[in-house]
Structure formats: structure tokens, C-alpha cells
Amino acid sequence: MTEPIIDVLVIGAGGAGLTAAVSAAQAGARVVVVEKTDYLGGPYRINPGSIGTFAVESWMQQTRHLGPSLAEAYRILMEHSRWRADGRVVSALLRNSASTVTWFNELGITFDHVIAYYNGAQPVWHIRDTPHDPVIADVLERHARALGVEFLLNTRALRLITREGVVRGAELEDADGPQTLLARSTVLATGGYQGNPDLIERYTGLRQGHDLFTFEMFTHPQHQGEGLQMAWDAGAGTSPTMLETYIYLPDPFGGPGGTMPELSAFRQAGLLVNDNGLRFVDESVMRNPADAANAVRCQPGSHAYMLLSDRVDRQLREQGLDFQLFGMHHAPGSLAPLAKQVQSAVDSGYRFLFRADTLGELAAQTGMPADQLQATVAEYDGACARGVDEGFFKEGRYLRPLGPDGPYYAAKFCLGSYGSAGGVATDEYGRALDERRRPVPGLYVIGRDAAHVFGDTYPFVFAGLIQGLSHTIGRITGGHAALVVNRGTPDRGGER
Ligand SMILES: Cc1cc2nc3c(=O)[nH]c(=O)nc-3n(C[C@H](O)[C@H](O)[C@H](O)COP(=O)(O)OP(=O)(O)OC[C@H]3O[C@@H](n4cnc5c(N)ncnc54)[C@H](O)[C@@H]3O)c2cc1C
């Protein structure tokens, strides 16, 4: 008896998996999606989970004369990774990102604005900030169902099935026990290993609660790295992997951009010192949360203290912030004074915000050496008075003295993570590649499991890139997997 075989099996119903499923079904394939939780869309379903996706030269950018050209974007991304990113994947991502925006529009998903994450970054983030915008995952699910895509919820993929060197589906497990689902093409999209502290430590050296703090909005237990292991076991090779770390004020004062918007004054180009009370960087790095996290990770304990005084807080509130956080705009005069907010955090027992009447008291609370802290502040205030930062070359416009009078405030910034990226080697069609960079027949890997084009740092200069990659390569993959099925022979990687 011949076993029933479907065309395309998608494992994981998050941003990448749903996009691939719709795209494959549009190309005429019979698609089944298995998802181990009881809902579709992954954490990305959460509002504001689907805030924004990356694209270059979309119709929105073109009509507004915004953003880099394809050639500029290619250079920026390749240089960001020090040319370690796979140029074919980067090129495919960029060249197809604008048509992904149009494809989304045709499905009924619209974007409200195109913005940059911080001033100086590129306006490539196609965002949805209107409360009545439908969640992207809902729209993709609706289209998938209309196209006949079948969903198996509460169904976990355990391992891939390989026959005669071709991946042919997966062994699954649901409440009724194990089952086998055979498929001509299998697409893995399981979202990485952000929920697995052991794998995080193994692949990145970061330890939860020690030099990495859980950001609830982005840390979900379903991300166990199972897809990576399944792909490697089936013959896929490895690709660079990293965590999208960013500068972070641990929960509950983290907020979507790593710091609650009300505490934005701490995320400006103020005075940042390490445990030894020493400055170490031009603090305008704070505009880019990933670069700032790198600078902080190199400090003792992988944390650093941003210092403010009432005087600086007042100045920032009256004159406006240096950097707007997470695309949110605070006009001059719109932020409340820090004093009350810090005090209520301190009163609630929060360990990462401090308030002290004197620098000596602040040093005692934070454990910094008092004389060094006083010397650093005196030196910094002197540089501010002269308008020249001889130590770290910060621009004069960011030089604001703390002043001789307290109260002083400090925010202890640590590292958080938005998720893991990379692990499995893949090409521009999402095909898994073996260690010799030949396609593993029948297998595709997309989304976070295959997000290996960032180098060692998430490029916030291109906000929305992880969704952009998930959506654009996911869309290409769905079409390619369906095409291979239509051809009727396993794709061994020769012809493209
Ligand atoms: C609140 C929030 C806001 C965000 N905002 C942005 C943004 O503005 N811009 C941006 O670029 N990105 C953003 N992201 C990140 C981005 O949306 C996703 O991380 C990205 O789409 C990755 O998608 P994915 O498909 O790889 O993973 P996911 O969407 O996490 O999907 C993976 C799915 O696989 C399932 N799964 C795992 N293992 C198995 C298994 N063995 N068997 C079956 N199923 C399995 C999981 O349950 C999950 O549903 C945000 C994320 C969140 C949570």
C-alpha cells in the first residue's frame, strides 16, 4: 500500500511558516502546517508583535523618496557583517522585499508609515501603528485556510524522515501519540532557541539572569531550538548563530525598545560608567540598542550605569530628547520628570534604578568606588564646560554636565535579547545546505532558524529585518517548494 503524501509540510506556524504556507498554497501545493502550541502565528501574533517589516525600494518608499537604493542597502548589510553574510541570500532578500510589501497589500495587510529605528538609521521599517490594523498572522491564517491549507495544532515535530537521501516529511506527536506525515517538501520554521537557556549559553556564552535578562515580551518557551537539531540531524550544515542582544533595563521597566518610553531620558547620550566608575564609550552609541549592548557586554558584569541628575533631566524634557526610542516621538515638554518614576520603582524593590542625594551615596548603592565616580563626574562636567570630550570624542551638543547638586539617578543597563538568529546553512530559496553547501533534497529552513546574515550584531540600522527576512525568504521558499513538487522530482540543487 502506498502511504499518503502531501506536497508541502510546514513545521512552525510563526511569521516565516505562515508566509511560506500561503505562498506555497497560492502556487497550487497541498500544504499542511504543524504547530506545537494551540495557536497560530507564534509570539508574533501578539500585538504589537507585528509592528514592522523591512523592505527596500517598496512603493511606499518610492512615492515618499525614502530609504536606500538596493545597491546601497546591499553594501550596508554586507559591510555590517564584515562580508561574512551570504551575498546570494542578502541579494534575494533585498531584491524581493519590495514585492513582499505589495504581496502583503494584496492580501489586505497595509502599513501606516516607513520609519527609521533611530536618527541616523535607514527608513526601511514598514510599520503598523494604527490600533485597528489587523494582526498580520490573522490575515495570513485567513488566506491560508481559504486556499485549503490544513493546520494541525498541538502537534510537535520530533524528527525529519529521510528516504534515499531526500527529506520526506516528519515524525510528529500530538495528544493521541506519535504519527508520521510524509511530504514532498518540508519547510522548518521553528523560531530559534530564545526559550532555551542551555542552548543560549552553548552558542553565545550568555547566561540568563547573570549577563542576560529575560524580556518577557520576547521570550517564549516554545523556542527550544528543535528545528536546528532536526535540520542538522537530516544532514544540514551549520551557519553562524547569535542572539539579537540589545541594551535593556530588565522587566518590568524594559518596554518594547528595551527601556520604558517614560524612562527615555536614560537612553540618551548622557554619562555612562562601568562598575569601576569609569567612562568607556561615546554615549551617543545609545541610539543603536544593539551597538550599545556590545559596548556594555565588554564591561565587568556585562552591565553599565547611565547617570542623570535633575538638571539633565530638566534639560532633556525642555529641549527634547537626543534620540527618540523605538520610533516613539516625545515632543519637548511631553515627558514627566524622572524623580517620581524612579522613586516609585525604587520603592517597589526594583534593583536596576537608583536615586541618591549625593554621588557618594549613589556609589554606595551601586557598589562603584566613590572617589573614582566623583573624579569621573568632575572630569566629565569639566569636558561639558569646555564643550570638548577629549576622552571619547562625543559631539559637543550631547555634553550636558550633571552639576554639583543632587539628586542623582542611575539606570543599570544590562543585556536583553529579542531572539536567536541563524544556526542552519541555507540559500536564497530557503533550501537547507549541507556542510559542502549543496542543497539537502526536500528540506527548507526559514525564519530565525536560518537568519544567518546579520554577522554578530543585529543591524538596527535596518529595523524590521528579522520579519523582513522571515516574510521575504518565506514567500520565496513557499513558491520554490511548490514548484519542486509540480516538477515531480526532488530538488538536488543543480537547476534553479
Ligand atoms: C512582541 C513582538 C514584537 C516584534 N516586533 C518585530 C518587529 O517590529 N520587526 C521585526 O522584524 N520583528 C519583530 N518581532 C520578531 C518577529 O516577529 C519574529 O521573531 C520573526 O517573525 C521570526 O519568525 P519565525 O517564524 O522564525 O518564528 P516564530 O514566529 O516564533 O514561529 C515559530 C513557531 O514554531 C513553533 N514550533 C517550534 N518548535 C516546533 C516543533 N518542534 N513543532 C511544531 N512547531 C514548533 C513555535 O511554537 C512557533 O509558533 C517581534 C516579535 C514579538 C514577539
Side-chain angles (χ1 to χ4, degrees), residues 227-299:
L228 303 181
Q229 198 56 56
M230 280 189 265
W232 294 330
D233 289 347
T238 55
S239 66
T241 180
M242 46 88 96
L243 275 196
E244 283 179 22
T245 47
Y246 61 94
I247 191 99
Y248 179 51
L249 201 51
D251 286 333
F253 294 91
T259 312
M260 249 171 81
E262 293 78 356
L263 296 172
S264 294
F266 283 117
R267 278 283 289 281
Q268 308 305 309
L271 172 57
L272 190 64
V273 295
N274 66 15
D275 264 358
N276 299 326
L278 294 168
R279 268 184 92 199
F280 55 92
V281 75
D282 165 358
E283 292 87 350
S284 61
V285 73
M286 293 297 279
R287 80 179 84 199
N288 180 328
D291 289 357
N294 284 348
V296 165
R297 189 178 178 183
C298 296
Q299 302 312 307

Side-chain angles (χ1 to χ4, degrees), residues 103-185:
W103 186 73
F104 271 158
N105 293 163
E106 285 162 5
L107 295 178
I109 297 161
T110 52
F111 300 94
D112 305 315
H113 310 286
V114 185
I115 61 168
Y117 194 95
Y118 56 87
N119 38 347
Q122 297 286 343
V124 290
W125 200 20
H126 293 59
I127 64 160
R128 303 151 54 73
D129 62 356
T130 310
H132 55 257
D133 279 342
V135 173
I136 291 181
D138 287 338
V139 181
L140 291 174
E141 178 189 344
R142 185 160 43 79
H143 281 278
R145 288 194 188 280
L147 289 161
V149 174
E150 226 180 296
F151 290 99
L152 303 179
L153 293 178
N154 296 306
T155 305
R156 186 175 156 220
L158 301 176
R159 64 192 66 82
L160 300 176
I161 297 166
T162 305
R163 291 188 179 163
E164 293 163 11
V166 180
V167 172
R168 284 292 189 211
E171 288 174 24
L172 312 172
E173 185 179 49
D174 65 10
D176 299 327
Q179 53 171 298
T180 297
L181 190 54
L182 295 183
R184 294 188 175 86
S185 293

Side-chain angles (χ1 to χ4, degrees), residues 12 14-16 35-36 44 49 52 157 191 218 222-223 226 448 464 466-467:
E35 166 55 48
K36 73 175 176 185
Y44 144 106
F218 290 93
Q222 65 260 49
H223 295 138
E226 294 149 281
R448 286 195 175 277
I466 186 69
Q467 270 188 22

